[in-house]
């Protein structure tokens, strides 16, 4: 195996030298037809994706740039063709332009279905693996299928997407519009992973300055960048295909590196790379001859073999860099660590750096700088990315040799594959995390273990804390030390039965603290098995639910209370219904009493009205006798007396009619004139006021109509005037006066009935509308009048009746809505 | 019944019907009757005609019978006044007594009773 490696080694070096010569020769040979075609058609209409860096784009100045652009420039140099770039705003527009046949060449993914219809791709010149980008803490992902349950984003409508679907049928992908959205999504945790082409991803991560994402692996799908040539131009196809193929791989690589790694400093890099490249070729030649020399000395060779094999076993590669000559030698193992076949190509510094992800460049260079300055060995751990995307951890160590003048002359170093070490570390860290988790468990979870008999073998800190026992007070004690005496025996029996049968018991238990107070836990108790599947104890984890219990209890109490409240409410409602019914009866009674009282007052009023005509009648009758006795009674005298008597009797009779009408209940609301109603009422009481020498002042607006029960309204007026009259008489007010004024405001009429009786005392005024409230002497008032008046105005006529004192006396105000319009029919009814 | 028809009589009543009926009766026996429609008029006539007897209603406009009587008595404390009162005028009656009116007659007026009162008041003192 060792010898075969050695043999391969020579072959490879020869091959490499040969290929280099071929590649460096740059011999594009076009035939005559092709050359003629170029002469006749030097200008080629071209377009690409305006926003697809590092592949291609138009920069701020409208200049076409990118990997594709650089390739086209080389094609131009080699063929004499001139690409005229058609500036577009979007890839959609590019496709449209291509479909319409406006361009002869367009760049794209070889798998692009649209382009394949009218265009034929040349052999792809850039193969880009579709890689997986994830959070930087993510370990290497071997197979995309491992991310089956993760949120994996892909960029929409790219040529290679159909291939992804085909190769990973079990995966579901989230489509995102562009690389920026995808990367940001991974960076802020929206997606677990993003799939994108290697070049695009590396370029964009760098551009977007994202430091929390990294490339963790690659898919089996590759994106192949190609140029599509109009199917109708087969000659152009052959020219460009040949031209692209004639570009040496170093140039491809160089262009690619320029755009994906260090696109800022391209010129310096190119120079350096060429220098290194030439030097490495020289180095390989030297190495080759050295080996030939070594071969002569078998001993040396054996030593070399041992070293090589040791390196292979230990995954330790060594290298040597002559800083004067630029010569760099890698041992086979370095190649292996970098995922390459040993000595497959000459080692260069740039080549070395190309395996190292960008983020480590600065650190590594700083370490080397430091080593040169301090003359101390350096050590630097970093990741490398193999060509297939595999990520490995390595430890770089080296030291600088100096000449007598103190100038650095060479560097020696090793590359140690520490992937397994890192994995071990990761395991250690996981172990640490586990320990930490255990600690968290111990401090936060109420947990305990017991032996078969229920003696405590483990008590978590949380358990000690909640129970109030010290750790030592619990260990070795029976678990029922915390059992609450209220716990039902059946429950405990069931518990033991369950766990002894090897099953898990779950339930709520009341426990008792050391201080005797209770706490509730939600408990999960399960058996502990040994390796022979025998139960050796029981383990319990519990959650303190004391507060929840309290809440539940409160809730229960609240429920009970609310039921009580409901009952109470129902009872209350019933009582209210009874009260309302009683109140209705009472109101009815009151109405009756009020009517009786009014009638009593009416009789008083009738008496006043009748007093004078009765007196006149009495005199008339006596006169007959006197005239007869004196012989003076003539037929004429009798006739005259009868007429006078009849007139008086008619007057009295009409008084009766007035009162009877007044007490006739109205069954229907009618429109009536307020002034008329008041005047009619005053007819009934005028005599009484006159007799009591109470002056009545009327100031009523005419033609104000309201809707309501006219007689009830009249009763209220009568009642208010009567009250005023009674007060004026009782207080023996001189120049007693009752005023009735009306004020009309918009649609409201206010009728103010006021007296000069000095007003109502404050302690009386607030009760004045209450039923059975009276200030009058016994037998003079029922205390119903004002209550009924208020009911009539406010309940039956939707108005307001209220009282206040003026400086003269009490003012009762009736406020009612005015109804302007009176239809004839209603008027007729009113007159009935 | 035969009355001294030389007496001067002042009758004060605001109600027309009553006044007319009363006048029909009084005119049979008295030659000198003065009639007033309210207390004010009554007082003026008293001052003008110095009647021997005054018959007056109580409740009247402008000046009621009580006040008028008060005025008259202040002019002539010996003035002879008969007030006609109704059942509901007890308050006035008390007041009438207070100011020194001795005679009153209930309404409806009984003519015989009225004449007896007039006779009693105007009988010459012995």
């Amino acid at each position: 195996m060792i010898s075969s490696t050695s043999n391969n080694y020579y072959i490879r070096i020869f091959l490499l030298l040969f290929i280099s010569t071929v590649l460096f020769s740059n011999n594009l040979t076009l035939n005559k037809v092709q050359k003629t075609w170029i002469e006749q058609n030097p200008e080629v209409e071209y377009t690409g994706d305006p926003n697809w860096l590092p592949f291609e784009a138009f920069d701020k100045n409208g200049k076409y740039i990118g990997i594709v652009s650089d390739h086209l420039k080389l094609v131009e140099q080699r063929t004499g063709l001139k690409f005229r770039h058609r500036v577009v705003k979007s890839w959609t527009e590019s496709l449209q332009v291509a479909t319409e046949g406006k361009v002869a060449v367009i760049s794209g993914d070889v798998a692009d279905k649209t382009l394949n219809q009218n265009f034929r791709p040349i052999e792809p010149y850039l193969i880009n693996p579709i890689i997986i980008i994830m959070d930087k803490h993510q370990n290497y992902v071997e197979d995309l299928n491992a991310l089956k349950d993760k949120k994996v984003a892909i960029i929409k409508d790219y040529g290679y997407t159909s291939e992804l679907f085909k190769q990973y049928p079990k995966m579901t992908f989230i489509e995102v519009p562009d690389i920026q959205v995808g990367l940001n999504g991974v960076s802020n945790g929206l997606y677990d992973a993003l799939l994108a082409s290697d070049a695009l991803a590396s370029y964009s991560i760098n551009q977007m300055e994202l430091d929390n994402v990294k490339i963790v692996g690659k898919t089996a799908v590759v994106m192949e960048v190609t140029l599509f040539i109009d199917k109708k131009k087969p000659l152009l196809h052959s020219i460009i295909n040949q031209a692209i193929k004639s570009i040496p791989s170093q140039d491809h690589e160089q262009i690619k590196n320029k755009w994906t790694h260090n696109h800022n400093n391209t010129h310096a890099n190119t120079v350096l790379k060429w220098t290194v490249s030439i030097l490495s070729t020289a180095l390989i030649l030297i190495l080759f001859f050295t080996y030939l020399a070594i071969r002569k000395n078998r001993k040396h060779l054996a030593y070399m073999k041992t070293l090589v094999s040791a390196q292979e076993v230990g995954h330790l590669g060594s290298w040597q860099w002559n800083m004067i000559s630029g010569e760099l030698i890698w041992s086979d193992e370095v190649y292996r660590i970098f995922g390459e076949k040993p000595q497959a190509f000459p080692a260069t510094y740039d080549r070395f750096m190309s395996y190292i992800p960008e983020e480590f460049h600065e650190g590594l260079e700083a370490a080397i700088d430091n080593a040169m300055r301090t003359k101390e060995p350096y050590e630097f751990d970093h990741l490398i990315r193999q060509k297939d995307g595999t990520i490995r951890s390595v430890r770089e160590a080296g030291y600088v040799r100096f000449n007598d003048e103190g100038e650095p002359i060479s560097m020696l170093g090793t590359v140690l594959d520490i992937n397994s070490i890192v994995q071990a570390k990761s395991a250690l860290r996981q172990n640490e995390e586990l320990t930490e988790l255990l600690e968290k468990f111990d401090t936060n979870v109420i947990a305990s273990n017991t032996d078969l008999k229920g003696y405590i073998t483990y008590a978590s800190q949380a358990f000690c804390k909640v129970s109030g026992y010290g750790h030592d007070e619990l260990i070795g004690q029976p678990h029922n030390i915390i059992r609450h005496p209220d716990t039902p025996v059946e429950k405990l029996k069931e518990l033991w039965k369950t766990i002894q049968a090897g099953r898990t018991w779950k339930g709520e238990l009341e426990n008792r603290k050391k201080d005797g107070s209770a706490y509730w836990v939600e408990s999960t108790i399960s058996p502990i098995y040994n390796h022979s599947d025998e139960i050796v104890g029981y383990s319990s984890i519990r959650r303190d639910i004391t507060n929840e219990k309290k809440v539940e209890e409160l809730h229960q109490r609240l429920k009970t209370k609310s039921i009580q409240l409901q009952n109470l409410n129902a009872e209350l409602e019933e009582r209210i219904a009874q009260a309302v019914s009683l109140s209705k009866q009472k109101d009815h009674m009151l109405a009756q009493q009020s009517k009786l009282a009014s009638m009593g007052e009416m009789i008083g009023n009738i008496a006043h009205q009748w007093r004078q005509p009765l007196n006149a009648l009495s005199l008339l009758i006596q006169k007959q006798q006197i005239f007869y006795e004196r012989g003076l009674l003539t037929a004429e005298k009798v006739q005259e007396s009868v007429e006078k008597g009849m007139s008086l009797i008619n007057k009295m009779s009409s008084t009766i009619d007035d009162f009877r009408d007044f007490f006739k209940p109205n069954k229907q609301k009618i429109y009536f004139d307020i002034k008329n109603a008041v005047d009619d009422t005053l007819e009934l009481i005028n005599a009484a006021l006159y007799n009591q020498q109470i002056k009545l002042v009327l100031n009523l607006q005419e033609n104000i109509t309201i809707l309501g029960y006219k007689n009830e309204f009249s009763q209220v007026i009568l009642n208010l005037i009567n009250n005023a009259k009674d007060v004026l008489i009782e207080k023996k007010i001189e120049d007693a006066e009752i005023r009735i004024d009306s004020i009309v405001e918009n649609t409201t009429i206010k009728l103010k009935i006021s007296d000069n009786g000095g007003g109502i005392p404050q302690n009386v005024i607030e009760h004045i509308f209450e039923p059975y409230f009276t200030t009058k002497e016994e037998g003079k008032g029922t205390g119903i009048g004002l209550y009924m008046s208020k009911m009539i105005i406010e309940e039956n006529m939707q108005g307001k009746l209220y009282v206040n004192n003026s400086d003269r006396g009490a003012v009762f105000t009736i406020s009612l809505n005015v109804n302007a319009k009176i239809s004839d029919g209603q008027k007729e009814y009113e007159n009935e | 019944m035969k009355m001294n028809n030389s007496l001067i009589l002042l009758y004060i009543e605001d109600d027309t019907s009553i006044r007319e009926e009363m006048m029909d009766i009084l005119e049979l026996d008295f030659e000198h009757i003065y009639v007033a429609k309210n207390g004010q008029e009554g007082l003026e006539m008293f001052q003008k005609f110095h009647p021997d007897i005054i018959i007056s209603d109580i409740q009247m406009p402008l000046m009621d019978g009580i006040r008028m009587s008060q005025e008259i008595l202040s002019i002539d404390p010996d003035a002879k006044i008969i007030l006609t009162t109704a059942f509901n005028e007890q308050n006035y009656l008390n007041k009438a007594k207070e100011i020194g009116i001795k005679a009153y007659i209930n309404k409806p007026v009984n003519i015989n009773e009225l004449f007896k009162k007039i006779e009693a008041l105007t009988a010459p003192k012995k």
Side-chain angles (χ1 to χ4, degrees):
Chain A
M1 188 181 154
I2 292 161
S3 64
S4 84
T5 312
S6 305
N7 288 338
N8 282 343
Y9 198 41
Y10 302 120
I11 298 161
R12 190 131 345 120
I13 287 166
F14 278 120
L15 210 69
L16 221 141
L17 285 169
F18 171 74
I19 292 167
S20 314
T21 1
V22 171
L23 292 184
F24 283 139
S25 62
N26 181 22
N27 55 347
L28 168 66
T29 43
L30 295 172
N31 60 35
K32 212 179 165 186
V33 182
Q34 288 172 321
K35 280 178 184 162
T36 318
W37 194 89
I38 292 168
E39 276 167 31
Q40 285 167 358
N41 308 284
E43 294 203 331
V44 180
E45 292 291 326
Y46 170 84
T47 196
D49 189 330
N51 182 26
W52 195 32
L53 281 178
F55 301 111
E56 56 182 345
F58 293 101
D59 72 5
K60 280 173 270 176
N61 307 317
K63 201 178 148 214
Y64 182 62
I65 55 166
I67 295 171
V68 182
S69 167
D70 287 352
H71 278 90
L72 289 181
K73 276 177 202 148
L74 291 176
V75 171
E76 284 178 332
Q77 282 168 22
R78 279 153 202 260
T79 58
L81 286 169
K82 268 274 164 222
F83 290 99
R84 280 166 53 116
H85 305 294
R86 198 183 176 104
V87 180
V88 287
K89 289 197 179 71
S90 66
W91 177 237
T92 314
E93 195 186 337
S94 313
L95 285 175
Q96 197 185 332
V97 163
T99 314
E100 287 167 1
K102 288 178 180 162
V103 291
V105 178
I106 178 167
S107 99
D109 180 343
V110 78
D112 196 298
K113 280 182 182 151
T114 315
L115 291 176
N116 273 297
Q117 288 168 7
N118 299 321
F119 293 81
R120 189 149 68 93
I122 60 161
E123 262 174 63
Y125 58 92
L126 187 63
I127 294 172
N128 224 257
I130 303 304
I131 48 85
I132 307 163
I133 303 132
M134 292 182 79
D135 183 83
K136 74 168 177 189
H137 296 298
Q138 176 69 35
N139 289 330
Y140 168 66
V141 175
E142 177 95 32
D143 181 359
L144 181 62
N145 283 318
L147 304 179
K148 197 165 75 86
D149 300 321
K150 303 275 184 186
K151 286 179 273 181
V152 180
I154 58 169
I155 304 160
K156 206 167 177 266
D157 289 341
Y158 271 9
Y160 59 81
T161 49
S162 56
E163 192 60 22
L164 275 174
F165 296 142
K166 211 163 99 186
Q167 298 234 11
Y168 298 97
K170 286 177 196 160
M171 301 278 302
T172 45
F173 299 106
I174 302 158
E175 292 193 316
V176 294
D178 54 47
I179 181 87
Q180 284 82 8
V181 173
L183 283 174
N184 275 327
V186 174
S187 175
N188 58 33
L190 189 60
Y191 312 122
D192 295 313
L194 170 74
L195 307 184
S197 66
D198 185 18
L200 181 64
S202 306
Y203 177 82
S204 303
I205 291 170
N206 201 18
Q207 282 290 302
M208 290 163 73
E209 292 175 350
L210 296 176
D211 54 6
N212 65 341
V213 301
K214 71 169 187 194
I215 294 163
V216 297
K218 63 170 198 174
T219 67
V221 176
V222 292
M223 182 186 73
E224 296 173 300
V225 179
T226 189
L227 290 167
F228 284 90
I229 321 293
D230 191 339
K231 278 181 178 170
K232 287 173 282 188
K233 291 174 177 157
L235 266 177
L236 183 62
H237 184 273
S238 68
I239 295 161
I240 294 174
N241 195 24
Q242 280 181 40
I244 288 283
K245 274 168 90 179
S246 75
I247 298 169
S249 61
Q250 287 99 323
D251 287 13
H252 282 299
E253 196 74 357
Q254 185 201 338
I255 292 170
K256 193 185 147 193
N257 285 346
K258 168 187 161 190
W259 285 98
T260 53
H261 291 296
N262 198 354
H263 50 277
N264 292 327
N265 196 10
T266 41
H267 180 68
N269 257 9
T270 315
V271 174
L272 185 71
K273 273 179 191 163
W274 276 108
T275 321
V276 172
S277 192
I278 293 157
L279 289 175
S280 1
T281 318
L283 166 95
I284 289 157
L285 284 170
I286 294 160
L287 203 71
F288 171 59
F289 291 113
T290 313
Y291 260 83
L292 284 182
I294 287 168
R295 219 186 142 202
K296 286 175 188 164
N297 190 333
R298 288 279 160 185
K299 252 188 187 170
H300 273 98
L301 189 62
Y303 170 73
M304 196 77 183
K305 278 177 187 169
T306 318
L307 183 65
V308 168
S309 111
Q311 287 202 357
E312 198 176 346
V313 172
H315 297 298
L316 178 73
S318 60
W319 53 267
Q320 195 179 330
W321 184 27
N322 186 331
M323 293 166 88
I324 309 292
S325 64
E327 186 188 349
L328 178 64
I329 302 165
W330 288 353
S331 74
D332 288 359
E333 192 54 29
V334 175
Y335 284 86
R336 281 196 206 98
I337 288 168
F338 286 169
E340 307 286 358
K341 292 203 173 127
Q343 311 303 334
F345 50 82
T348 67
Y349 180 74
D350 270 359
R351 189 94 202 199
F352 165 64
M353 286 307 261
S354 77
Y355 293 100
I356 301 170
E358 194 99 343
E359 61 261 37
F360 295 107
H361 286 194
E362 205 178 302
L364 181 58
E365 278 161 7
I368 296 169
D369 282 352
N370 196 48
M372 287 197 189
R373 213 172 41 248
T374 59
K375 302 184 179 174
E376 291 287 326
Y378 73 89
E379 209 174 78
F380 185 71
D381 286 359
H382 60 87
L383 296 181
I384 54 156
R385 183 170 54 223
Q386 297 177 352
K387 284 280 173 284
D388 65 358
T390 309
I391 305 286
R392 300 190 79 85
S393 296
V394 297
R395 171 161 300 171
E396 191 86 31
Y399 71 96
V400 188
R401 277 192 189 154
F402 299 88
N403 62 13
D404 294 342
E405 280 79 42
E407 290 163 348
I409 50 165
S410 67
M411 278 182 81
L412 291 171
T414 55
V415 183
L416 174 64
D417 185 343
I418 54 169
N419 228 35
S420 50
I421 299 171
V422 168
Q423 274 163 14
K425 266 192 183 169
S426 156
L428 263 177
R429 198 170 58 238
Q430 277 176 17
N431 196 32
E432 272 170 28
E433 279 170 10
L434 204 69
T435 315
E436 201 180 317
L437 211 68
L438 271 172
E439 198 185 315
K440 273 187 190 161
F441 175 86
D442 196 53
T443 49
N444 293 302
V445 182
I446 306 168
S448 57
N449 290 349
T450 67
D451 61 14
L452 286 172
K453 287 178 181 168
Y455 287 94
I456 298 170
T457 55
Y458 163 73
S460 73
Q461 278 184 55
F463 178 27
C464 296
K465 199 175 164 196
V466 74
S467 66
Y469 286 102
H471 186 258
D472 295 343
E473 288 176 300
L474 288 171
I475 301 296
Q477 293 300 312
H479 210 287
N480 64 21
I481 189 171
I482 53 142
R483 179 192 299 168
H484 197 278
D486 291 351
T487 314
V489 181
E490 300 77 45
K491 203 177 202 175
L492 295 168
K493 274 187 184 166
E494 183 219 319
L495 188 165
W496 276 103
K497 215 176 126 188
T498 309
I499 58 173
Q500 278 169 349
R503 282 179 282 125
T504 298
W505 185 88
K506 272 185 191 174
E508 291 176 359
L509 285 172
E510 191 175 15
N511 285 348
R512 193 165 63 169
K513 296 185 187 185
K514 192 183 176 182
D515 65 10
S517 61
Y519 66 98
W520 276 91
V521 290
E522 187 187 76
S523 213
T524 305
I525 308 170
S526 24
I528 306 169
Y529 293 91
N530 65 9
H531 288 294
S532 319
D533 263 354
E534 295 160 342
I535 298 173
V536 291
Y538 303 101
S539 160
S540 159
I541 54 166
R542 304 183 282 279
R543 192 166 65 85
D544 191 340
I545 54 163
T546 312
N547 282 337
E548 287 166 45
K549 275 278 169 189
K550 275 182 190 161
V551 169
E552 195 186 314
E553 195 192 330
L554 267 174
H555 182 70
Q556 206 56 45
R557 269 161 61 186
L558 215 64
K559 248 162 118 182
T560 320
K561 269 273 177 291
S562 109
I563 289 164
Q564 284 175 355
L565 260 172
Q566 272 173 18
N567 292 341
L568 217 64
N569 245 347
E571 206 179 308
L572 213 65
E573 271 171 31
E574 202 179 316
R575 276 197 212 167
I576 288 167
Q578 283 176 2
V580 166
S581 149
L582 258 173
S583 161
K584 271 187 187 159
Q585 286 175 16
K586 210 159 103 182
D587 277 355
H588 183 69
M589 214 164 74
L590 274 177
Q592 287 299 323
Q593 289 184 3
S594 166
K595 231 169 232 176
L596 285 172
S598 308
M599 280 169 90
E601 280 173 0
M602 279 311 106
I603 289 163
N605 284 320
I606 291 169
H608 275 288
Q609 297 273 36
W610 277 11
R611 197 190 58 182
Q612 300 289 57
L614 267 179
N615 200 9
L617 266 180
S618 141
L619 290 170
L620 188 75
I621 291 161
Q622 290 180 73
K623 190 174 86 178
Q624 305 310 308
Q625 193 188 2
I626 293 164
F627 273 54
Y628 175 75
E629 281 171 2
R630 302 207 184 174
L632 297 168
L633 195 63
T634 60
E636 290 78 23
K637 283 278 177 199
V638 171
Q639 175 72 24
E640 191 198 318
S641 292
V642 168
E643 276 170 19
K644 277 187 178 176
M646 284 315 290
S647 160
L648 285 167
I649 285 164
N650 283 339
K651 198 174 157 192
M652 291 165 76
S653 177
S654 80
T655 304
I656 294 281
D657 285 344
D658 287 349
F659 281 102
R660 195 193 56 201
D661 285 348
F662 184 78
F663 280 101
K664 198 198 279 173
N666 293 131
K667 292 218 172 70
Q668 215 173 326
K669 283 188 178 181
I670 54 161
Y671 289 96
F672 60 91
D673 187 277
I674 284 225
K675 191 173 187 298
N676 285 347
V678 173
D679 284 344
D680 289 353
T681 311
L682 292 175
E683 281 287 307
L684 305 177
I685 201 168
N686 256 337
L689 295 177
Y690 180 80
N691 289 344
Q692 302 290 352
Q693 288 181 300
I694 294 166
K695 201 173 145 195
L696 188 68
V697 181
L698 277 179
N699 177 23
L700 288 176
Q701 197 158 330
E702 304 212 1
N703 299 323
I704 302 293
T705 310
I706 60 166
L707 178 69
Y709 304 102
K710 187 185 174 188
N711 281 353
E712 288 192 351
F713 174 74
S714 297
Q715 281 174 39
V716 173
I717 300 293
L718 191 70
N719 188 263
L720 295 176
I721 295 172
N722 263 332
N723 278 347
K725 182 197 77 182
D726 289 347
V727 167
L728 292 170
I729 293 167
E730 189 196 321
K731 290 193 178 172
K732 298 188 174 85
I733 303 293
E734 283 192 27
D735 303 321
E737 185 182 275
I738 296 173
R739 290 184 63 95
I740 306 178
D741 298 280
S742 72
I743 304 159
V744 180
E745 291 166 345
N746 298 327
T747 58
T748 306
I749 180 165
K750 281 182 180 163
L751 219 55
K752 289 186 180 290
I753 295 156
S754 57
D755 60 55
N756 58 348
I760 307 160
Q762 204 53 46
N763 60 336
V764 169
I765 202 164
E766 39 195 74
H767 302 291
I768 203 161
F769 291 109
E770 289 171 12
Y772 298 113
F773 181 86
T774 183
T775 56
K776 293 177 187 171
E777 288 167 41
E778 215 178 294
K780 279 201 170 172
T782 57
I784 297 161
L786 281 175
Y787 172 72
M788 285 311 294
S789 297
K790 198 171 173 71
M791 295 290 277
I792 288 166
I793 296 298
E794 299 193 350
E795 300 293 318
N796 297 358
M797 295 176 78
Q798 284 76 46
K800 284 265 164 225
L801 171 60
Y802 53 91
V803 66
N804 58 295
N805 287 326
S806 74
D807 50 358
R808 297 171 67 240
V811 183
F812 282 86
T813 306
I814 299 169
S815 171
L816 290 164
N817 277 331
V818 175
N819 295 86
K821 205 179 158 204
I822 313 163
S823 79
D824 290 343
Q826 279 160 331
K827 212 169 184 178
E828 267 169 38
Y829 181 83
E830 188 197 349
N831 291 339
E832 266 174 26
Chain B
M1 190 196 291
K2 188 79 187 154
M3 298 293 292
N4 184 352
N5 59 8
S6 66
L7 286 174
I8 300 167
L9 197 137
L10 175 58
Y11 177 55
I12 308 137
E13 170 64 62
D14 62 330
D15 187 281
T16 311
S17 300
I18 296 172
R19 203 168 56 234
E20 282 175 6
E21 295 310 317
M22 192 61 104
M23 282 303 287
D24 278 354
I25 297 165
L26 290 175
E27 276 169 351
L28 294 176
D29 292 313
F30 297 96
E31 278 178 30
H32 309 287
I33 303 171
Y34 297 96
V35 182
K37 287 172 192 143
N38 58 53
Q40 190 89 46
E41 251 180 65
L43 182 59
E44 282 164 17
M45 285 191 174
F46 171 78
Q47 285 166 328
K48 210 170 171 182
F49 305 109
H50 305 286
D52 299 309
I53 189 134
I54 304 146
I55 300 163
S56 177
D57 193 10
I58 290 176
Q59 286 174 343
M60 290 179 299
L62 295 175
M63 187 185 283
D64 70 22
I66 303 285
R67 250 188 77 197
M68 185 197 71
S69 303
Q70 216 168 354
E71 296 287 324
I72 289 170
L73 287 171
S74 71
I75 297 162
D76 177 7
D78 289 330
K80 293 170 177 65
I81 305 168
I82 299 169
L83 293 177
T84 59
T85 66
F87 67 95
N88 56 355
E89 292 169 334
Q90 201 60 40
N91 288 341
Y92 290 103
L93 206 60
N94 291 338
K95 204 168 180 196
K97 277 179 186 166
E98 273 173 36
I99 61 168
I101 296 167
K102 290 164 191 89
Y104 65 92
I105 187 158
N106 280 327
K107 284 182 180 179
V109 173
N110 183 314
I111 295 294
N112 286 334
E113 208 176 312
L114 176 69
F115 282 6
K116 273 180 192 166
K117 292 268 182 198
I118 296 169
E119 207 172 359
L121 279 176
T122 55
K125 293 185 175 113
K126 292 181 182 166

